[in-house]
Amino acid sequence: KSKPVQPDFILRVIERKRQFISFKIAAGQDQQKDLTADFLGEWGNKNLWGSGKKFSFSASSKYAIISKLQNIKNRFKISLTEPWFLSTRTPLNLDLFYDPGVKSVIQPYRIEELGADVSLTREIRKTTKIWLGGSFQQINIFDISQAEEIIFRREKGINERRKLNLNFEHDTRSNPLLPLDGSLTQIYMEDVGGFLKGDNNFFKIVGSWNRYYQSQKLKKFQVLASRLKLGLI
């Protein structure tokens, strides 16, 4: 059959509201406080300037609500998603966060934390994807001597995490939830520290291969699955 030059229907698309505001309140426990309350507010735009970009700004606070109301943590975060990085179909996700730290009578020092997380996703074909990412973190401690800071960081387990990672995936499974045939190959590489410095320095690589096979000769087992996984640090 020949395709019609003009379709016999009219398609109309109505865009949802771009801007959004959200609030969240939660209760939980902290390592040092019995009962805490978390407050989160977020504002964003799902289609910034009509370009498909996503942007959001959020602010969160944690309070101890037993015996005495006390602010114990604050965080500010900016998130940006660029679906067409460098004019290619490579989504870019960028998160920037800042924790100014809180000083109190019990905690005479202030721990400031800032950092960034970035990731790129590239779909080579429907069965093959590559992820490239990185994270940077810097922690500053105020109102404490330099000699005491070294011991303090060791006792509290404070480590600055800085890394680059690369993830490769080739998926030919018939169904990700219930695979009957095909295979799944994954390779993950992580370089921590290096030229980014930080408190840790190592290289890690992990590879795995999963194969699924269905045969009518297997009466007791409908699908035969095998897996091989190797890693090195």
Side-chain angles (χ1 to χ4, degrees):
K1 296 182 179 180
S2 60
K3 297 182 180 180
V5 179
Q6 295 182 350
D8 55 354
F9 64 90
I10 299 176
L11 178 64
R12 291 176 179 170
V13 179
I14 300 177
E15 182 182 9
R16 297 178 62 183
K17 293 183 178 180
R18 301 179 181 180
Q19 299 187 22
F20 66 91
I21 299 177
S22 63
F23 298 95
K24 179 181 178 182
I25 300 176
Q29 285 185 320
D30 188 76
Q31 294 180 354
Q32 300 178 352
K33 308 295 181 181
D34 290 334
L35 187 60
T36 61
D38 294 288
F39 303 89
L40 172 67
E42 185 179 14
W43 172 86
N45 192 309
K46 299 178 182 179
N47 189 9
L48 193 63
W49 305 311
S51 60
K53 299 180 178 66
K54 296 180 182 179
F55 173 84
S56 67
F57 171 78
S58 63
S60 62
S61 294
K62 177 178 285 190
Y63 289 85
I65 57 178
I66 292 296
S67 69
K68 183 180 179 181
L69 185 64
Q70 180 184 356
N71 180 223
I72 57 178
K73 188 175 183 180
N74 300 300
R75 171 160 289 198
F76 304 95
K77 182 179 178 181
I78 295 176
S79 298
L80 175 66
T81 300
E82 167 58 75
W84 292 86
F85 181 66
L86 297 178
S87 301
T88 62
R89 194 165 185 172
T90 307
L92 168 68
N93 295 307
L94 176 64
D95 293 330
L96 303 174
F97 64 87
Y98 174 66
D99 186 345
V102 177
K103 185 178 179 181
S104 64
V105 177
I106 302 176
Q107 181 176 288
Y109 49 85
R110 182 170 65 90
I111 302 176
E112 178 190 61
E113 180 182 353
L114 55 95
D117 296 305
V118 61
S119 65
L120 289 165
T121 306
R122 179 66 175 175
E123 186 178 280
I124 300 176
R125 48 176 77 99
K126 289 185 177 181
T127 57
T128 308
K129 294 181 181 180
I130 294 178
W131 292 269
L132 176 64
S135 63
F136 179 87
Q137 182 187 40
Q138 181 173 331
I139 300 175
N140 302 316
I141 304 176
F142 299 94
D143 304 307
I144 189 173
S145 65
Q146 187 174 4
E148 293 176 333
E149 182 180 344
I150 298 174
I151 301 174
F152 179 80
R153 285 176 178 262
R154 187 183 302 115
E155 291 178 348
K156 297 293 184 180
I158 299 176
N159 293 312
E160 292 183 348
R161 298 181 297 272
R162 302 175 184 179
K163 67 177 182 178
L164 294 174
N165 59 274
L166 176 65
N167 193 4
F168 170 84
E169 181 181 278
H170 182 64
D171 190 357
T172 61
R173 295 175 297 176
S174 57
N175 189 316
L177 299 178
L178 186 62
L180 301 178
D181 55 18
S183 64
L184 173 63
T185 304
Q186 293 177 316
I187 300 175
Y188 178 78
M189 291 183 290
E190 184 178 68
D191 188 13
V192 178
F195 70 93
L196 295 176
K197 298 184 178 180
D199 294 324
N200 299 307
N201 190 4
F202 62 88
F203 177 78
K204 174 183 177 181
I205 180 171
V206 179
S208 65
W209 178 73
N210 302 265
R211 184 71 172 90
Y212 303 91
Y213 177 72
Q214 186 181 33
S215 175
Q216 301 295 332
K217 298 179 180 180
L218 300 175
K219 297 181 179 180
K220 294 183 179 181
F221 307 99
Q222 294 184 354
V223 180
L224 179 63
S226 59
R227 182 185 185 189
L228 176 64
K229 185 175 182 180
L230 299 172
L232 175 67
I233 296 180

